[in-house]
Amino acid sequence: MDLINALVAITNYVIIPATAYGAQLALGALGVTLIYSILRFSNFAHGDTMAFGTGIVILITWGFQAMGISLGPLPTALLALPFGIIVTAALMLGTDKVVYQYYRKVRAAPVVMVMVSVGVMFVMNALTRFLIGVDQINFDDGARFVINARQWREMTGLSEPLTLRSTQVITVVTAIITVAALFWFLGKTRTGKSMRAYSDNEDLALLSGIDPNRVVAVTWIITGALATIAGTLYGLDKSFKAFTYFQLLLPIFASAIVGGIGNPVGAIAGGFVISFSEVGLTYAWKKVVTYLIPNWQPDGLVQLLSTDYKYAVSFTILILVLIFKPTGLFKGKIV
Amino acid sequence: MSYLNASEMTGGYGKADILHSCTLTVEKGEIAVIVGPNGAGKSTAMKAVFGMLSLREGKVTLDGVDITGLSPQDRVKKGMGFVPQVNNVFPTMTVEENLEMGAFIRDDDFAGTMEQVYELFPILKEKRRQNAGELSGGQRQQVAVGRALMTQPKLLMLDEPTAGVSPIVMDELFDRIIEVARTGISILMVEQNARQALEIADKGYVLVQGANKYTDTGQALLADPEVRRTFLGG
Amino acid sequence: MFAQSMKSGDPMIRVENLVKSFGGFRAVDGASLEIATGSITGLIGPNGAGKSTLFNVIAGVHAPTSGRVTMDGEDITGLAPHELFHKGLLRTFQIAHEFPSLTVRENLMMVPSGQAGETLWNTWFGRGRIREEETALLKKADEVLDFLTISHLKDEKAGNLSGGQKKLLELGRTMMVEAKIVFLDEVGAGVNRTLLNTIGDAIVRLNKERGYTFCVIEHDMDFIGRLCDPVIVMAEGKVLAEGSADHIMENEAVIEAYLGTGLKNKVKAEETAEAAAHEDHGAQPGLGDEAGKGEAQ
Amino acid sequence: MSTTRQPGGSSAIRAPLFFAIMAVLILFEGFSSGWNSALGILNMGLLSAIMALGVNMQWGYAGLFNAGAMGFLALGGLAPVLISMPPTPGAFKAGGPGIMLAFFIAIVAVLAAVWIWRNLTGRLRGLAVTAVLIVGFFVYRWAFDPAVAAIEAINPSAQGNLGGLGLPTLISWPVGAVLAAGAAWLVGKTALGLRSDYLAIATLGIAEILVAVLKNEQWLDRGVLNVNGIPRPWPVPYEIDLQNSPDFVAKAQSWGMDPQLASTITVKLAYLLLFVVVLAVLIWLTQKALKSPWGRMMRAIRDNEISAAAMGKNVTRRHLQIFVLGSAVIGLAGAMMISLDGQMTPTSYNPLRYTFLILVMVIVGGSGNNWGSILGGVLIWYVWVKAGDWGPDIMAALASPFPEGGFKEHLIQSAPHMRMLVMGAILLGVLRFSPRGLLPEK
Amino acid sequence: ADVKMGVLLGFTGPLESLAPAMAQGAELAIKEVSDSGKLLGGDTVTPVRGDSTCVDAAAATAAGETLVTSDKVSGIMGAMCSGATTAVLQNVAMPNGMVMISPSATSPALSTLPDDGLFFRTAPSDARQGEVMADEILEKGIKSVALTYTNNDYGKGLADSFEKAYKAKGGTVTISAAHEDGKGDYSAEVASLASAGGDALVIAGYIDQGGSGILRGALDTGAFEKFVFPDGMVSQTLEDNFGSEVNGSFGQMPASEGEGHDKFLALATAAGFDGTSVYSGEAYDAAALMLLAMEAANSTDPKVYKDKIMDIANGDGEKIYPGELAKGLELIKEGKPINYEGATAVHLIGNGEASGTFREIEFKDGKMETVQYR
Ligand SMILES: Nc1ncnc2c1ncn2[C@@H]1O[C@H](COP(=O)(O)OP(=O)(O)OP(=O)(O)O)[C@@H](O)[C@H]1O
Ligand SMILES: Nc1ncnc2c1ncn2[C@@H]1O[C@H](COP(=O)(O)OP(=O)(O)OP(=O)(O)O)[C@@H](O)[C@H]1O
Ligand SMILES: CC(C)C[C@H](N)C(=O)O
Ligand SMILES: [Mg+2]
Ligand SMILES: [Mg+2]
């Protein structure tokens, strides 16, 4: 029984949350990775794009809620998501027209593009706040739990709780579907291949009759969609706050790079590496130990590192990975 | 009117002009070869014909149609194919994907053409799952030419296709170029292996400092001692 | 200055059983060869034979999977490129590696190592010395540019050069210092033949007058024939044959794997077939077993 | 990187022109909002210029994308705390030996691990290293934790840390540079092998780690509790002292100035003087270096590392050199900033402000160009500060056509975020019309 | 004449969502005084907002500098966070002899910082709140708690003072772990807290920052069922977002009962903002105090009116509540003493900080209910 309790504790506090968080990071990292591999720059505006997309989804969700439309046990936001994606993608296309297009034309160095994206980040940052303000917003409706602590205890009679939120399940499922779809798209479809061709050698793509404008447009549309999906799932699971989305940028980049930037599978793997190392390595084993060795009451927390340094842990791992596998876990590309 | 008629092209990369009223024409099914010293503007002229350089003066017509204002990818749709001198493969795509990209604008089944390319360059078939960026210099060059052939162009432009390929492959390549030309496709190419190239050329251009210096049949140029000495290495 | 110390004829570079694999693929597959001091050794072979890879391993760009490289009897396997440079080993790249944002002249002037002006301290407190050095370097660079016929481009950014001009610049860099051995990876590809002849002359001159040893990869057989002795033929990562240029060009296996039977003959197809049949001198004994394998394939 | 660059629009008058514009902006600020404000902006602008100079050395000269400026800046800021604050009585006695022992243990453990890594082979190696590190870690904590607890127990609401050495603040500036350089050396040794964007993210992470240490090691710098009242560097006076000095008051009045205003301006001018001296020295050093074979070599390495290595340049060592030097300059700026602020608040280090804004300064100024960094530093800081003022005005103007009510209210409430918008717009504008910066590298 | 007053708050940055209601609180008082036409014989008062960003000392200093030197304000209502407040105080207010009244900087360190008599605050020091919270918890019979705090001077200061008080009174703190605000995920922190255990979880954080993430995680994983909320957590948002999930949890915030509070809420509602938002009332009081002191000193010179602030706040004349500022001004003009109570029962002690009355709240049926004041 105690063994099961120990397992349940680990599942509840480490495995489930880290999986959901990892999937959220992964979706964010996918967007970053895509822009990196096709348009060849690190897009620092991605976090704010996520915030913007989510902001739109929230507004539409409110609209639906006001009209009394809902999805039953699923959050209404899922219904609003496609509309949010359309608006965000449109914004992406607009931004590209107004801003990025010029730099491609003059073939600006990637770092100039990075700086441009910082500029866009500032602007989007303001835009999102004009749109929906700075407050924390919860827009999750529908059934919150698949299993909650009380149900679990009644069901199993265990003393340790175990909960599974519907948003966690939705996040993971969506992440799997999205990455599969993206992978298929890039690897198998003609448009997808033309995008890779463009990313490899822009001039030659031109010479093969590939329309660069189309490639760029498709890239931005997908990115907009990925950002909106990632942002919405994250917001559903935790909550929406513009500032947090900017802060997410760092772990997202870390994920993309640990996995091997430019590589979709890498982005997914990276998300999980980062999330599991954050949660796992700072876990206090006290509870588990007490279950396993019943007669021992440790006076400390049996914790390798205090949570103060959880970011240090994930970045140390990042650096170690890079030193021993310089292109990330899965081979990424370097511009 | 010639099939390709690029007349009086003048222009450059921004500062000074590189091309000075340079004229290139190719008939249907003809092989035209451009030779000249390094930096003469041969590649620049090719780029100009393909619309990758904005011309200050001059115009380009293809099959009688003025294409001066068209973008490169539109020219591809008009039946032009181009193998640039450098950066002419997609390095992180496999050989096969490189060829597929060559056939991007084609809606028909291109499996046959791909087989032909593999026949021409057997090594590519062997390496078709490998990324082009990992190939040797000469192998890459073969991929580059193969990619352009996949388009099934009506006018094929090659910028030093034989640079870095081994003699045996070079022979094959020239052979194939002759064959291609015989099917009615026009060829415009820049070559430094000038003697072999002029050998098969219907028409040769010697370009010096962006201007036409000599224009004649391939054989005639080969026979001209002045041309031989100054441009073909004796 | 390096070269004087060595007797001509001893091997400058000795490659022993070198293997380099990428993933499972053996790009260089147990190659063994020697480059004699004072020679201009040609290295030819079909595309993908492993020539450039061999260069890259010798020059320290790739670490070998196994095997050994020595220079003047000293083990240099796995040394870093800059260390090899200091030992007098220089190389050019098949795909030109210029410094695009430096001017052509600066591309040359940066080459010599141990410049006083490369030490930060001197840039602040040793201006006099730097000035002297720079004047000398400038003069030398301009000489080299003249030689390469591109002195009109000396203030142009190297990134704006034409394909062939970049190749010339590559070669020019090796002329800025006293090298012991220079590895040239296809200097000729894309270079005008008249100019290539001039380059050939320069190589001979450097070889004769300054005692440089050269190892040259090239597909232009005229060039190889005129310059190189001996010629080493690689195929599939191994040495297929070795010998004088004339011998090599008559080697059956080499013709089959590399040279082909010549364009002119192909155009007149029938004659070619006959001609090829006659040139049956058998394999050269260079490194016999490799040659045998080469033939067998 | 692409080879077709825009034709360089740099002409001889460009630099003087932009510096004149900068001067006019500062003068305008002085006449319109007062000299205090103008000098305040200028001082912080010059500090930013020094930071930008450090980043420019790394990015502009050598192409090393250090996205961790914040970390080195913060570390440099530790120096004034450790050097010029008065020591905490009894703290060293309580915890000093323990902490030193702990560090000794840590160093021994790391050296042992390195030794094992170098001298063992096979499976055993990994295990042995891990074992040594883990055991080392626990021994370290055994020595470290009680020492820290002892120090933190001393007068926690005001001190609770080791305190400093009580030395003059000016000394802390070079020490800040050395601290940052030391950290940069360690970082460089491990991370410089990484390329472009990977180095960026690694340094971004390292910066976070450094700041986390400053936030959480209370015994060192009071952590998030902040250190206040860091003494000013010589010869900067305190306003109160000036105001209380009859001489000064008399002098100010004889010039027809309000003594209080005169005192604040005097203080700012004193800082200005110090900053200008430091900046002048730095610019002399960097200009000389850049315009010499050393600079040429660095540019070559930046252009093509493989080729530079083949030309005999020790790329790794040069990278390390410039990384350490650049970080030292950033650390110097960090120490200077803390002695200008008079307080150390580790929570205030955030990447947007101290990494990205600095990068923006470098790029806007023109990467690779030292004068560009100075221009970018002052100009962008000016914009960053003024955008906070302009934002509401612009918003009010934008909102004016709308009818009173919720929407207008919402717009006006959003005014502060105009700062971001203005900042973004300016950055995009500069990059649009001068993608290689205002003063491009020639 | 027109008197300018600086309203220096963190409008952007990690606490951007708290700032608007605070600014509106202060501006409410300013408008009230200005409209009354009674200040110094008819002066109007205009608020000038400055952005202290909460975390960036340099930007806060620059903003303060602008307020003082270019906008020529006669006093600063602010700053918001303790760190920025210290920076502005030392770099701007003291050199320029400017009065600052912060509505929300609660770090204990500010009690002892030298300030030339220029600095006041209408919020109590966290040292006090720690004690109050400890008492409250022990009275509920809870003997062991896990503690998490936002990793800044506020959170750490509060956590330290609480831990000390609680231990001294016989409680056990199983873990005291920091959390960073604004991060994406708090699973690791929740896991540690859960593992350490305890009968309740004290969250010394901000409701729209990490505090919310921790609370969400702790609830969702079933790690804790009872929570203790200090000032940074108690707000309408807490009720809206968590409501019945936190039934039985309790907390406290600086605020006082009675007339002043209710009057302020009514005024706020009329003005269209949420008066229950943390520190909104304190902001109102800070602005009002400063203006009343100007009237009392008959001068807008900070160096003169600074000495009147304690008199206004603690005087033993008629009590003045929100909405009655005009009356206050009149009384002062007539030379009568007043006791400014304001929205938060202002009573300044020691070096010029609020003595600290706390409102204790508890969640019942998803609603936040006031239990008592102490
Ligand atoms: N990085 C790599 N990864 C995988 N395979 C590689 C890589 N580099 C080279 N190869 C393979 O190694 C083989 C030898 O390549 P190498 O460049 O040495 O040929 P080469 O003899 O120089 O040919 P060429 O004359 O065409 O330049 C080729 O088949 C190539 O595909
Ligand atoms: N992108 C560019 N920007 C500026 N100048 C250029 C650029 N590319 C080429 N040039 C210049 O234009 C001239 C002609 O170049 P081009 O590449 O057309 O020569 P080429 O005849 O093809 O020579 P090669 O045989 O060496 O390839 C050269 O002097 C070169 O320096
Ligand atoms: C706005 C408040 C929650 C600020 C907090 N009391 C501090 O001192 O930092
Ligand atoms: Mg060319
Ligand atoms: Mg090669």
Side-chain angles (χ1 to χ4, degrees), chain D residues 33 215 260 341 343 348 353, chain E residues 55 70 87 91 96 180 303:
Chain D
S33 326
K215 270 187 188 172
Q260 182 186 311
D341 289 347
Q343 62 168 359
S348 65
R353 161 75 179 83
Chain E
V55 287
S70 96
N91 299 328
N96 292 295
E180 296 290 336
K303 284 199 254 352

Side-chain angles (χ1 to χ4, degrees), chain C residues 7-77:
Chain C
K7 290 199 298 312
S8 205
D10 288 350
M12 164 81 73
I13 295 284
R14 174 179 278 148
V15 175
E16 293 163 25
N17 268 321
L18 201 69
V19 176
K20 172 69 197 175
S21 40
F22 295 107
F25 181 79
R26 294 179 153 220
V28 177
D29 189 7
S32 300
L33 52 90
E34 285 177 2
I35 298 168
T37 304
S39 69
I40 304 179
T41 303
L43 187 58
I44 61 174
N47 295 130
K51 304 180 296 294
S52 298
T53 308
L54 179 74
F55 264 32
N56 282 333
V57 172
I58 294 176
V61 176
H62 296 317
T65 309
S66 70
R68 208 167 90 102
V69 184
T70 61
M71 177 171 172
D72 280 348
E74 180 190 351
D75 192 340
I76 58 163
T77 328

